[in-house]
Amino acid sequence: MRILKYLFVLMMAYPMFGQEKETNLWNDFTYDIGNIFGGVGYAYSRPFHWQGNDWANLGYLAGGTLILATVDDEVNHWKNGFREDIPDLVIDYGNEYGSPENNYMFTGGVYLAGLFTKNEKLRRTGVLLISSATAGGFLQQVSKRIIGRARPKSGESSDTFDPFHLNRVYNYDSFPSGHAMLAFSNAYAIAKQFHNPWVKAGIYTVGLIPGFVRVMDDFHWFSDVAFSTVLSIFIVESIDRYLDSKYDEKYNSNAKQVSWNLSFGPNTMGVSLRF
């Protein structure tokens, strides 16, 4: 709501620049807002259109999360041994960047830059960022209340739950991780615009920091962050496909050839990326 109010104020101030520009800008703005909500709806409707491989990936995601959950307590004890070695700058960045307020300041800034410079590719990126954050953010807020998993800082074990609360119960809202989901959604969407795999890897690494820090600071278990990161990829990919039919500007062809798959085997568990 805050970013929409900000956008509205900017639109109301724009007539001083001329009627023709106002009309074009307003048309772009209303079109983009429609695509933001359309992208969210499209992402939520995808399960009704899934086929075999899509359901298999969901099964892998659920199974992998359950497997990781069996070692959450051990990972939590292990990471306590080097928590103090992490620079404060990294900790501060991880906790602040993934918050909803700062996330929408960033995504809104990207969108407004594209809107006012009339750069359709940047506008589309802003729409992808905002709609992905909205879809993932709402989903994780509802899931927290339904699942009610205890946070590490509560002092409870990783298998402690207090589910089905309409009001959020703090310290019992660990799964999934909102910081990890928002941060990696941004990173994944931005990385789509680059050919170089090393640039992509660098952006992904920055996007993983908030989830890592939230584990270090006892806000989340490792499985919370792993699940949220993979889910954010699926959400961004879904909305990006929807936006392909709405904008003429497409991301570079290499980015469209990126494919993610979950893989499990006797000695293998992970996410594979092909590009």
Side-chain angles (χ1 to χ4, degrees), residues 77-122:
H77 292 314
W78 169 73
K79 59 87 180 171
N80 288 335
F82 59 89
R83 165 62 179 82
E84 299 302 321
D85 297 329
I86 302 173
D88 290 339
L89 180 64
V90 174
I91 296 296
D92 292 340
Y93 167 78
N95 282 317
E96 294 299 325
Y97 176 70
S99 67
E101 296 83 3
N102 292 329
N103 177 80
Y104 276 106
M105 286 179 62
F106 170 74
T107 57
V110 172
Y111 171 71
L112 288 174
L115 180 68
F116 283 104
T117 61
K118 295 190 175 296
N119 184 321
E120 183 179 298
K121 185 175 180 180
L122 196 56

Side-chain angles (χ1 to χ4, degrees), residues 8 36-37 62 69 78 93 128 130 133 143 147 167 179 181 189 211 214 216-217 222 226 254 262:
F8 180 76
I36 288 173
F37 288 106
W78 169 73
Y93 167 78
L128 178 60
I130 294 172
S143 300
I147 297 171
N167 295 320
H179 279 67
M181 191 174 293
R214 299 295 278 183
M216 291 297 104
D217 277 355
F222 179 60
N254 282 4
L262 301 177

Side-chain angles (χ1 to χ4, degrees), residues 51-62:
Q51 298 178 355
N53 191 56
D54 300 310
W55 288 107
N57 279 335
L58 177 64
Y60 291 149
L61 176 58

Side-chain angles (χ1 to χ4, degrees), residues 40 44 100 103-104 107 126-140 178 181-183 185-186 235-236 239:
V40 173
Y44 287 162
N103 177 80
Y104 276 106
T107 57
V127 170
L128 178 60
L129 289 167
I130 294 172
S131 54
S132 298
T134 301
F138 178 76
L139 182 62
Q140 61 92 16
M181 191 174 293
L182 292 177
S185 291
N186 289 348
I235 290 174
V236 173
I239 294 175

Side-chain angles (χ1 to χ4, degrees), residues 169-181:
V169 179
Y170 289 95
N171 285 340
Y172 287 86
D173 52 356
S174 183
F175 184 91
S177 168
H179 279 67
M181 191 174 293

Side-chain angles (χ1 to χ4, degrees), residues 8 11-12 21-31:
F8 180 76
M11 294 305 101
M12 293 302 99
K21 289 185 177 180
E22 175 197 0
T23 301
N24 293 336
L25 187 68
W26 180 254
N27 289 342
D28 289 343
F29 172 69
T30 54
Y31 183 74

